[in-house]
């Protein structure tokens, strides 16, 4: 038991150690543009290909990927004015529903046409449409996916999301759109919450807040989507098994922090000078640690063979969604 606890803390410290290195490298010429988040996932990806996944530290690394990521998203609520959310939230939710439906239906149709692995294609469609690994993990038991299919799907989504988010960073200065519109585009089209944060952070706090709001509107739709899959599987296979789907409670935390920022801080409560900057730096550190944990999931060896067709399909679907969202943003 003591050894397991030590390995848990070593796993967290492992992501923290690489995060600190990433912050240092991000100050070097050529890395200042992409920032510590992209630098972190690149380092994690290289580590995984050379040394493999550090299984003994898995519990701590997974804690960084899940708990610390959601803690960072909650803290980002302090940067959003909830009055704006009330006027923008419904259109974002409707657009999110369109993105999710398009990703899943296109993935299904193309997998049928090109005879690709249907389980992988559906997992990738869900991961692309909703919120990456979390959505894949929620839907996998419902559609009876194998553990290896789930792992490979998460790896592909991590890889694609990283490529797309870095591409967004590169082309952002040349796009004829404002920072908020860019944030909405990122939030509605990128794969993981961490990828959205990576792409939107350089555009400023307001852009990042809207990007996270747009992404969280997709996460919010994960629960009804899972029940749709349960209904579909019951109808197709005449089974009655239920699947437990966790509600994204960090969404509530994000909204509460937004309310706190909008109506309490600066009005009823005045924080000491520099406190918000400290919270902002802590949030970036937590996101960087989560990005490292995400990057460690990418294993190129697992993406060969039968994954080629699903990978090509979801790459095409991701491009199509990115273009469509850019038009309707």
């Amino acid at each position: 038991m003591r050894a397991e606890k030590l390995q848990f803390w070593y796993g967290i410290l492992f992501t923290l150690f690489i995060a600190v290195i990433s912050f240092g490298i991000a100050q070097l010429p050529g890395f200042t543009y992409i920032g510590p988040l992209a630098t972190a996932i690149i380092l994690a990806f290289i580590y995984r290909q050379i040394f493999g996944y550090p299984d003994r530290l898995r519990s701590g690394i997974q804690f960084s990927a899940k708990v610390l990521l959601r803690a960072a998203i909650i803290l980002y609520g302090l940067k959003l004015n909830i009055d704006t959310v009330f006027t923008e939230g419904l259109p974002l939710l409707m657009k999110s529903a369109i993105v999710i439906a398009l990703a899943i239906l296109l993935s299904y149709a193309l997998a049928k046409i090109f005879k690709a692995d249907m389980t992988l294609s559906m997992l990738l469609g869900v991961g692309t449409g909703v919120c990456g690994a979390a959505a894949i993990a929620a839907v996998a038991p419902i559609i009876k996916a194998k553990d290896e299919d789930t792992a490979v799907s998460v790896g592909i989504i991590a890889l694609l999301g990283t490529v797309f988010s870095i591409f967004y960073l590169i082309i952002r200065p040349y796009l004829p759109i404002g920072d908020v519109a860019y944030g909405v585009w990122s939030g509605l089209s990128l794969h993981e919450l961490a990828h959205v944060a990576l792409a939107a952070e350089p555009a400023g706090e307001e852009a990042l807040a809207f990007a996270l709001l747009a992404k969280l509107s997709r996460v919010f739709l994960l629960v009804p989507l899972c029940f749709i899959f349960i209904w579909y599987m019951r109808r197709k296979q005449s089974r009655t098994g239920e699947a437990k789907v966790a509600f994204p409670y960090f969404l509530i935390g994000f909204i509460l922090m937004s309310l706190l920022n909008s109506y309490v801080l600066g009005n009823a409560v005045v924080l000491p000078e520099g406190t918000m900057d400290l919270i902002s730096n802590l949030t970036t550190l937590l996101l960087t640690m989560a990005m490292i944990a995400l990057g460690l999931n990418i294993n190129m060896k697992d993406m060969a063979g039968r994954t080629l067709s699903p990978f090509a399909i979801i790459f095409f679907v991701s491009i199509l969604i990115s273009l469509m969202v850019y038009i309707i943003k």
Side-chain angles (χ1 to χ4, degrees):
M1 183 64 70
R2 175 175 160 72
E4 292 178 357
K5 288 183 178 180
L6 284 175
Q7 289 171 359
F8 171 77
W9 288 109
Y10 287 155
I12 297 175
L13 289 174
F14 179 75
T15 59
L16 175 61
F17 177 71
I18 301 182
V20 172
I21 294 176
S22 301
F23 273 90
I25 295 178
Q27 305 304 314
L28 299 176
F31 286 89
T32 53
Y33 181 73
I34 64 174
L37 295 181
T39 304
I41 201 168
I42 292 171
L43 288 179
F45 172 77
I46 293 173
Y47 180 95
R48 173 63 186 269
Q49 309 318 306
I50 297 175
F51 302 105
Y53 191 95
D55 284 299
R56 296 182 64 183
L57 308 179
R58 182 178 294 274
S59 61
I61 293 172
Q62 291 301 310
F63 180 86
S64 293
K66 298 176 181 179
V67 178
L68 295 188
L69 173 60
R70 281 146 182 77
I73 299 303
I74 290 172
L75 289 176
Y76 262 115
L78 292 171
K79 300 182 179 183
L80 181 64
N81 190 309
I82 200 66
D83 288 328
T84 308
V85 177
F86 288 149
T87 59
E88 299 291 338
L90 185 58
L92 287 177
L93 195 63
M94 295 175 63
K95 290 175 182 178
S96 293
I98 294 173
V99 168
I100 294 171
L102 180 64
I104 295 174
L105 294 176
L106 262 180
S107 299
Y108 178 84
L110 292 174
K112 279 280 190 182
I113 293 172
F114 295 103
K115 295 181 172 51
D117 186 286
M118 184 57 72
T119 300
L120 278 174
S121 298
M122 292 308 297
L123 288 176
L124 290 170
V126 170
T128 299
V130 189
C131 55
I136 291 172
V139 170
I142 299 175
I143 65 174
K144 312 299 180 184
K146 298 178 181 178
D147 289 343
E148 61 189 47
D149 291 339
T150 303
V152 169
S153 299
V154 169
I156 290 175
I157 289 298
L159 175 61
L160 278 181
T162 302
V163 171
F164 272 71
S165 56
I166 292 176
F167 179 70
Y168 277 31
L169 285 172
I170 293 173
I171 66 172
R172 184 180 71 86
Y174 308 102
L175 296 175
I177 59 175
D179 290 338
V180 170
Y182 170 79
V184 172
W185 179 44
S186 300
L188 288 176
S189 61
L190 289 174
H191 304 70
E192 291 270 3
L193 279 165
H195 295 142
V196 171
L198 166 62
E201 185 186 38
E205 294 182 358
E206 189 176 15
L208 180 58
F210 272 94
L212 293 173
L213 176 64
K215 185 61 177 175
L216 288 172
S217 69
R218 293 161 68 188
V219 175
F220 183 78
L221 295 174
L222 174 60
V223 173
L225 176 66
C226 286
F227 282 108
I228 291 174
F229 269 105
I230 292 172
W231 169 82
Y232 174 79
M233 292 301 293
R234 282 179 175 176
R235 183 177 179 183
K236 181 181 179 181
Q237 302 177 357
S238 298
R239 296 178 179 176
T240 58
E242 294 289 337
K244 186 178 180 181
V245 180
F247 183 81
Y249 288 104
F250 60 91
L251 174 62
I252 296 177
F254 178 84
I255 295 173
L256 289 176
M257 290 297 103
S258 299
L259 288 169
L260 181 67
N261 180 56
S262 302
Y263 305 115
V264 179
L265 299 182
N267 298 316
V269 177
V270 179
L271 294 177
E273 186 178 355
T275 301
M276 293 305 293
D277 289 338
L278 180 62
I279 294 175
S280 179
N281 291 333
L282 173 62
T283 305
T284 302
L285 176 62
L286 295 177
L287 275 175
T288 305
M289 293 171 67
M291 187 67 67
I292 291 160
L294 182 65
L296 289 170
N297 283 317
I298 306 173
N299 187 355
M300 294 298 294
K301 293 180 180 179
D302 292 337
M303 298 182 186
R306 69 188 184 91
T307 63
L308 183 59
S309 293
F311 179 86
I313 287 172
I314 209 61
F315 183 68
F316 171 77
V317 171
S318 297
I319 293 175
L320 192 62
I321 287 176
S322 181
L323 292 174
M324 182 201 72
V325 173
Y326 184 82
I327 294 172
I328 69 171
K329 61 187 179 295

